[in-house]
Amino acid sequence: MPEKVRRRVVTFTGDALGGLTIAELPPPLRQYARFTPQRRAKFGGNAMAAALESDAVFRQRVSVRLREQFAELAAALDAGIPPPAADPVDVAAIAYVLRPPGWPKLVAAAGEEAQRAQAERAGEEAQRELARLREELSAAKGAAREEAERSRREQEALRKELESTHRKLRSAQSDVRRGEAAARKLQAELEALRTSSASEKAAADGEARRLRAKLAETETALESGRRAAREGRSVEDMRVRLLLDTVLDAAQGLRRELALPPSEGRPADTVDAVEPGRMSPKDVAARALSETDPALLDQLLALPQAHLVVDGYNVTKTGYPALPLEKQRLRLLGGLAVLAAQSGAEVTCVFDGAELAAPVLLAPPRGVRVLFSKPGQTADELIRRLVRAEPPGRPVVVVSTDREVADGCAAAGARPVASALLLKRLARS
């Protein structure tokens, strides 16, 4: 099908979509039903062309709309006599949708007619451009002649003025030579004074610059030292305090869970051996949870001071990619809020903000920290920075199916899990 005919078919189909109900549209076209006709043709052109070609029922519904809009032309095509005055592109587009007898020939003829008309228009444009260039060339030649004549007159006037100036110059040169002798003597004296004053000024300026640079370096070093000391103390205090809280909560939780009595260990208890009734390593391995079991995430979040870091778009595009980005974010954050309330863990959700045209107006749900990456930074980099900011020993769980993110976070001490595991856990909430 010629490209112009295809575009006209898509335009007619986009106009017809506005008169059909959602139920009458094929599933791939329902998302464009609320678009304007121009936006339908722009974003859904390929989908509409494919639907016309493969869905006979949809093509029949569009043909009904076209018969109402182009009643005379449709009747002429059914009779096999296209009107001579009609646009051949319109004839081919409507014939493609209505499918009257011999419609392939009409489409091919329209393509040939469109190419011939385009060639004629190109020839006319070339002739008009040639005529315009000839007129510009003629005007340029006339202007060049006028410019040459004007330059000749100016050169004659300049020659006369130059002769007069030469006469005056010869008279003035004699006066100049007399004054040069006196000027040379004064110049020598002045140069001596300039040299001495310049040497003294350069020495003073150099010393002043050295002192200013030394003072600036000292002030910069002092301020950098103070800032580094303040930042180092605050960051390290925060990391040590958080690690201490994690260790204490882990110890207290383990003591409560195991109901440990006061220590009564003896040296003989440290000898490794299998006692009657104890589980072997194979028995322990058999009780391990699968990587796809949502209970695994519950066990990880039950650790003291656990921090759950979620790669937002990685999870939403795994679970519900058909939704708009705004609805993807809202659905994920709603599930994370419920999970945070149930587990009591710290939850941070990271989204990629590199392609945002404007700031996102979003109120984070209770218990969930929402972060967007800065321009020039990806969400993967922001996640790795969050993991590296945690003190060693704190349980950090990273949800992402991106292999690079998972490996990088695991190397930094975090526990990566797949996005599908979080989606299964949220489905249970």
Side-chain angles (χ1 to χ4, degrees), residues 122-143:
E124 293 174 357
E125 289 291 336
Q127 290 295 332
R128 287 195 293 270
E129 182 67 15
L130 180 59
R132 185 183 65 79
L133 292 176
R134 285 176 176 171
E135 292 177 358
E136 291 181 358
L137 179 60
S138 177
K141 288 181 178 180

Side-chain angles (χ1 to χ4, degrees), residues 78-374:
D78 290 337
I81 308 174
D87 187 348
V89 177
D90 288 345
V91 172
I94 295 176
Y96 175 79
V97 178
L98 302 183
R99 304 291 174 94
W103 68 271
K105 294 182 180 180
L106 292 176
V107 175
E112 296 175 358
E113 179 65 19
Q115 292 178 355
R116 184 186 63 77
Q118 184 177 0
E120 290 179 356
R121 287 195 297 271
E124 293 174 357
E125 289 291 336
Q127 290 295 332
R128 287 195 293 270
E129 182 67 15
L130 180 59
R132 185 183 65 79
L133 292 176
R134 285 176 176 171
E135 292 177 358
E136 291 181 358
L137 179 60
S138 177
K141 288 181 178 180
R145 286 193 295 270
E146 294 177 359
E147 182 67 19
E149 180 64 21
R150 186 178 63 80
S151 298
R152 187 187 62 78
R153 291 194 297 268
E154 290 179 355
Q155 288 177 358
E156 182 65 21
L158 289 174
R159 185 183 62 79
K160 293 179 180 179
E161 183 178 354
L162 183 61
E163 291 176 353
S164 175
T165 302
H166 282 169
R167 287 193 297 269
K168 295 178 181 178
L169 179 60
R170 284 192 294 270
S171 176
Q173 282 176 346
S174 59
D175 296 336
V176 170
R177 283 192 293 269
R178 286 192 297 270
E180 284 179 350
R184 281 194 293 270
K185 181 178 179 180
L186 295 175
Q187 185 68 26
E189 296 175 357
L190 180 60
E191 190 65 28
L193 292 175
R194 284 179 177 174
T195 302
S196 61
S197 62
S199 299
E200 294 175 358
K201 185 176 182 298
D205 290 344
E207 182 64 18
R209 284 194 298 272
R210 187 183 68 80
L211 293 176
R212 284 196 296 269
K214 185 68 174 177
L215 178 60
E217 291 177 359
T218 304
E219 292 177 348
T220 301
L222 180 59
E223 181 60 26
S224 298
R226 290 174 178 173
R227 185 168 55 252
R230 289 194 302 268
E231 293 177 353
R233 284 197 302 271
S234 62
V235 172
E236 290 302 322
D237 290 349
M238 176 186 66
R239 289 163 60 90
V240 170
R241 177 62 182 273
L242 182 56
L243 181 58
L244 180 60
D245 290 344
T246 302
V247 173
L248 291 177
D249 289 351
Q252 292 174 1
L254 186 61
R255 178 179 293 275
R256 286 194 303 269
E257 181 178 353
L258 300 180
L260 294 176
S263 177
E264 296 179 357
R266 296 294 184 267
D269 296 332
T270 62
V271 178
D272 187 17
V274 177
E275 297 181 8
R278 286 194 177 181
M279 291 186 297
S280 67
K282 293 183 178 180
D283 298 326
V284 175
R287 296 180 58 190
L289 294 175
S290 170
E291 290 291 333
T292 60
D293 189 348
L296 175 61
L297 187 58
D298 289 334
Q299 287 190 358
L300 294 174
L301 296 183
L303 295 173
Q305 298 292 330
H307 185 184
L308 178 65
V309 180
V310 181
D311 188 350
Y313 288 141
N314 186 281
V315 174
T316 60
K317 292 180 180 179
T318 300
Y320 20 87
L323 295 178
L325 290 182
E326 180 181 1
K327 293 186 177 180
Q328 290 183 18
R329 292 193 295 266
L330 293 177
R331 181 171 176 179
L332 174 60
L333 293 177
L336 291 178
V338 175
L339 181 60
Q342 292 175 348
S343 64
E346 179 182 356
V347 179
T348 301
C349 188
V350 178
F351 293 104
D352 196 342
E355 299 179 359
L356 291 178
V360 176
L361 300 179
L362 176 67
R366 184 179 181 86
V368 180
R369 180 187 298 108
V370 181
L371 299 177
F372 286 86
S373 62
K374 295 181 179 179

